[in-house]
PDB file of all heavy atoms in Angstrom:
ATOM      1  N   ILE H  13     -59.471-171.002 240.453  1.00  0.00           N
ATOM      2  CA  ILE H  13     -60.259-170.858 239.292  1.00  0.00           C
ATOM      3  C   ILE H  13     -61.532-171.698 239.370  1.00  0.00           C
ATOM      4  O   ILE H  13     -61.644-172.582 240.249  1.00  0.00           O
ATOM      5  CB  ILE H  13     -59.487-171.260 238.011  1.00  0.00           C
ATOM      6  CG1 ILE H  13     -59.083-172.733 238.079  1.00  0.00           C
ATOM      7  CG2 ILE H  13     -58.275-170.359 237.801  1.00  0.00           C
ATOM      8  CD1 ILE H  13     -58.467-173.241 236.816  1.00  0.00           C
ATOM      9  N   GLN H  14     -62.466-171.466 238.482  1.00  0.00           N
ATOM     10  CA  GLN H  14     -63.698-172.238 238.429  1.00  0.00           C
ATOM     11  C   GLN H  14     -63.482-173.453 237.563  1.00  0.00           C
ATOM     12  O   GLN H  14     -62.682-173.445 236.584  1.00  0.00           O
ATOM     13  CB  GLN H  14     -64.827-171.388 237.870  1.00  0.00           C
ATOM     14  CG  GLN H  14     -65.265-170.253 238.771  1.00  0.00           C
ATOM     15  CD  GLN H  14     -65.900-170.750 240.039  1.00  0.00           C
ATOM     16  OE1 GLN H  14     -65.562-170.303 241.132  1.00  0.00           O
ATOM     17  NE2 GLN H  14     -66.842-171.664 239.907  1.00  0.00           N
ATOM     18  N   GLU H  15     -64.216-174.498 237.869  1.00  0.00           N
ATOM     19  CA  GLU H  15     -64.192-175.717 237.068  1.00  0.00           C
ATOM     20  C   GLU H  15     -64.501-175.373 235.611  1.00  0.00           C
ATOM     21  O   GLU H  15     -65.389-174.589 235.311  1.00  0.00           O
ATOM     22  CB  GLU H  15     -65.241-176.703 237.604  1.00  0.00           C
ATOM     23  CG  GLU H  15     -65.288-178.033 236.893  1.00  0.00           C
ATOM     24  CD  GLU H  15     -66.291-179.002 237.504  1.00  0.00           C
ATOM     25  OE1 GLU H  15     -66.970-178.600 238.449  1.00  0.00           O
ATOM     26  OE2 GLU H  15     -66.318-180.177 237.065  1.00  0.00           O
ATOM     27  N   GLY H  16     -63.731-175.963 234.670  1.00  0.00           N
ATOM     28  CA  GLY H  16     -63.951-175.732 233.285  1.00  0.00           C
ATOM     29  C   GLY H  16     -63.014-174.665 232.651  1.00  0.00           C
ATOM     30  O   GLY H  16     -62.889-174.607 231.439  1.00  0.00           O
ATOM     31  N   GLU H  17     -62.384-173.882 233.495  1.00  0.00           N
ATOM     32  CA  GLU H  17     -61.453-172.832 232.989  1.00  0.00           C
ATOM     33  C   GLU H  17     -60.126-173.452 232.604  1.00  0.00           C
ATOM     34  O   GLU H  17     -59.781-174.557 233.039  1.00  0.00           O
ATOM     35  CB  GLU H  17     -61.269-171.740 234.044  1.00  0.00           C
ATOM     36  CG  GLU H  17     -62.515-170.909 234.295  1.00  0.00           C
ATOM     37  CD  GLU H  17     -62.240-169.762 235.273  1.00  0.00           C
ATOM     38  OE1 GLU H  17     -61.105-169.620 235.753  1.00  0.00           O
ATOM     39  OE2 GLU H  17     -63.195-169.018 235.563  1.00  0.00           O
ATOM     40  N   ASN H  18     -59.379-172.733 231.778  1.00  0.00           N
ATOM     41  CA  ASN H  18     -58.039-173.110 231.400  1.00  0.00           C
ATOM     42  C   ASN H  18     -57.024-172.312 232.230  1.00  0.00           C
ATOM     43  O   ASN H  18     -57.326-171.205 232.656  1.00  0.00           O
ATOM     44  CB  ASN H  18     -57.786-172.849 229.901  1.00  0.00           C
ATOM     45  CG  ASN H  18     -58.772-173.596 229.032  1.00  0.00           C
ATOM     46  OD1 ASN H  18     -59.290-174.663 229.387  1.00  0.00           O
ATOM     47  ND2 ASN H  18     -59.064-173.015 227.861  1.00  0.00           N
ATOM     48  N   LEU H  19     -55.839-172.860 232.382  1.00  0.00           N
ATOM     49  CA  LEU H  19     -54.792-172.140 233.111  1.00  0.00           C
ATOM     50  C   LEU H  19     -53.428-172.552 232.599  1.00  0.00           C
ATOM     51  O   LEU H  19     -53.268-173.617 232.024  1.00  0.00           O
ATOM     52  CB  LEU H  19     -54.900-172.449 234.594  1.00  0.00           C
ATOM     53  CG  LEU H  19     -54.582-173.877 234.984  1.00  0.00           C
ATOM     54  CD1 LEU H  19     -53.319-173.935 235.878  1.00  0.00           C
ATOM     55  CD2 LEU H  19     -55.763-174.516 235.647  1.00  0.00           C
ATOM     56  N   ARG H  60     -55.508-183.835 229.781  1.00  0.00           N
ATOM     57  CA  ARG H  60     -55.819-182.412 229.679  1.00  0.00           C
ATOM     58  C   ARG H  60     -54.632-181.528 230.012  1.00  0.00           C
ATOM     59  O   ARG H  60     -54.725-180.290 230.014  1.00  0.00           O
ATOM     60  CB  ARG H  60     -56.968-182.077 230.615  1.00  0.00           C
ATOM     61  CG  ARG H  60     -58.303-182.719 230.213  1.00  0.00           C
ATOM     62  CD  ARG H  60     -59.408-182.412 231.220  1.00  0.00           C
ATOM     63  NE  ARG H  60     -59.102-183.044 232.532  1.00  0.00           N
ATOM     64  CZ  ARG H  60     -58.594-182.383 233.579  1.00  0.00           C
ATOM     65  NH1 ARG H  60     -58.347-181.066 233.473  1.00  0.00           N
ATOM     66  NH2 ARG H  60     -58.350-183.022 234.712  1.00  0.00           N
ATOM     67  N   ILE H  76     -53.271-176.452 231.620  1.00  0.00           N
ATOM     68  CA  ILE H  76     -54.378-177.385 231.929  1.00  0.00           C
ATOM     69  C   ILE H  76     -55.624-176.862 231.238  1.00  0.00           C
ATOM     70  O   ILE H  76     -56.005-175.679 231.413  1.00  0.00           O
ATOM     71  CB  ILE H  76     -54.609-177.495 233.448  1.00  0.00           C
ATOM     72  CG1 ILE H  76     -53.340-177.996 234.157  1.00  0.00           C
ATOM     73  CG2 ILE H  76     -55.786-178.441 233.749  1.00  0.00           C
ATOM     74  CD1 ILE H  76     -53.511-178.107 235.681  1.00  0.00           C
ATOM     75  N   THR H  77     -56.263-177.735 230.501  1.00  0.00           N
ATOM     76  CA  THR H  77     -57.476-177.417 229.774  1.00  0.00           C
ATOM     77  C   THR H  77     -58.681-177.935 230.569  1.00  0.00           C
ATOM     78  O   THR H  77     -58.651-179.055 231.081  1.00  0.00           O
ATOM     79  CB  THR H  77     -57.453-178.063 228.379  1.00  0.00           C
ATOM     80  OG1 THR H  77     -56.296-177.604 227.671  1.00  0.00           O
ATOM     81  CG2 THR H  77     -58.683-177.699 227.583  1.00  0.00           C
ATOM     82  N   ALA H  78     -59.715-177.085 230.648  1.00  0.00           N
ATOM     83  CA  ALA H  78     -60.941-177.528 231.336  1.00  0.00           C
ATOM     84  C   ALA H  78     -60.660-178.095 232.707  1.00  0.00           C
ATOM     85  O   ALA H  78     -60.939-179.271 232.975  1.00  0.00           O
ATOM     86  CB  ALA H  78     -61.735-178.481 230.466  1.00  0.00           C
ATOM     87  N   ALA H  79     -60.095-177.286 233.570  1.00  0.00           N
ATOM     88  CA  ALA H  79     -59.683-177.744 234.906  1.00  0.00           C
ATOM     89  C   ALA H  79     -60.861-178.354 235.671  1.00  0.00           C
ATOM     90  O   ALA H  79     -62.002-177.940 235.546  1.00  0.00           O
ATOM     91  CB  ALA H  79     -59.092-176.571 235.684  1.00  0.00           C
ATOM     92  N   GLN H  80     -60.520-179.374 236.480  1.00  0.00           N
ATOM     93  CA  GLN H  80     -61.489-180.053 237.299  1.00  0.00           C
ATOM     94  C   GLN H  80     -61.072-179.992 238.778  1.00  0.00           C
ATOM     95  O   GLN H  80     -59.887-179.804 239.066  1.00  0.00           O
ATOM     96  CB  GLN H  80     -61.590-181.516 236.871  1.00  0.00           C
ATOM     97  CG  GLN H  80     -62.030-181.675 235.410  1.00  0.00           C
ATOM     98  CD  GLN H  80     -62.074-183.133 234.975  1.00  0.00           C
ATOM     99  OE1 GLN H  80     -61.738-184.053 235.743  1.00  0.00           O
ATOM    100  NE2 GLN H  80     -62.459-183.370 233.742  1.00  0.00           N
ATOM    101  N   PRO H  81     -62.011-180.108 239.705  1.00  0.00           N
ATOM    102  CA  PRO H  81     -61.627-180.071 241.115  1.00  0.00           C
ATOM    103  C   PRO H  81     -60.540-181.052 241.490  1.00  0.00           C
ATOM    104  O   PRO H  81     -59.732-180.785 242.378  1.00  0.00           O
ATOM    105  CB  PRO H  81     -62.955-180.381 241.833  1.00  0.00           C
ATOM    106  CG  PRO H  81     -63.984-179.884 240.918  1.00  0.00           C
ATOM    107  CD  PRO H  81     -63.446-180.184 239.521  1.00  0.00           C
ATOM    108  N   ASP H  83     -57.907-181.577 239.922  1.00  0.00           N
ATOM    109  CA  ASP H  83     -56.623-181.012 239.572  1.00  0.00           C
ATOM    110  C   ASP H  83     -56.046-180.154 240.732  1.00  0.00           C
ATOM    111  O   ASP H  83     -54.863-179.763 240.659  1.00  0.00           O
ATOM    112  CB  ASP H  83     -56.732-180.137 238.343  1.00  0.00           C
ATOM    113  CG  ASP H  83     -57.151-180.873 237.108  1.00  0.00           C
ATOM    114  OD1 ASP H  83     -56.774-182.073 237.004  1.00  0.00           O
ATOM    115  OD2 ASP H  83     -57.868-180.319 236.240  1.00  0.00           O
ATOM    116  N   VAL H 112     -59.211-175.589 242.261  1.00  0.00           N
ATOM    117  CA  VAL H 112     -60.266-175.565 241.261  1.00  0.00           C
ATOM    118  C   VAL H 112     -61.616-175.713 241.984  1.00  0.00           C
ATOM    119  O   VAL H 112     -61.847-176.730 242.645  1.00  0.00           O
ATOM    120  CB  VAL H 112     -60.094-176.667 240.230  1.00  0.00           C
ATOM    121  CG1 VAL H 112     -61.170-176.568 239.157  1.00  0.00           C
ATOM    122  CG2 VAL H 112     -58.706-176.583 239.585  1.00  0.00           C
ATOM    123  N   LEU H 113     -62.453-174.724 241.843  1.00  0.00           N
ATOM    124  CA  LEU H 113     -63.753-174.700 242.527  1.00  0.00           C
ATOM    125  C   LEU H 113     -64.826-175.333 241.647  1.00  0.00           C
ATOM    126  O   LEU H 113     -64.926-175.049 240.456  1.00  0.00           O
ATOM    127  CB  LEU H 113     -64.111-173.272 242.885  1.00  0.00           C
ATOM    128  CG  LEU H 113     -63.052-172.522 243.714  1.00  0.00           C
ATOM    129  CD1 LEU H 113     -63.408-171.034 243.800  1.00  0.00           C
ATOM    130  CD2 LEU H 113     -62.960-173.129 245.086  1.00  0.00           C
ATOM    131  N   ALA H 114     -65.671-176.160 242.272  1.00  0.00           N
ATOM    132  CA  ALA H 114     -66.778-176.835 241.536  1.00  0.00           C
ATOM    133  C   ALA H 114     -67.886-175.849 241.267  1.00  0.00           C
ATOM    134  O   ALA H 114     -68.078-174.883 241.967  1.00  0.00           O
ATOM    135  CB  ALA H 114     -67.269-178.021 242.354  1.00  0.00           C
TER     136      ALA H 114
END
Side-chain angles (χ1 to χ4, degrees):
Chain H
I13 61 173
Q14 292 294 131
E15 182 177 5
E17 292 184 1
N18 301 332
L19 67 117
R60 294 176 296 101
I76 301 179
T77 304
Q80 300 177 359
D83 296 328
V112 182
L113 305 170

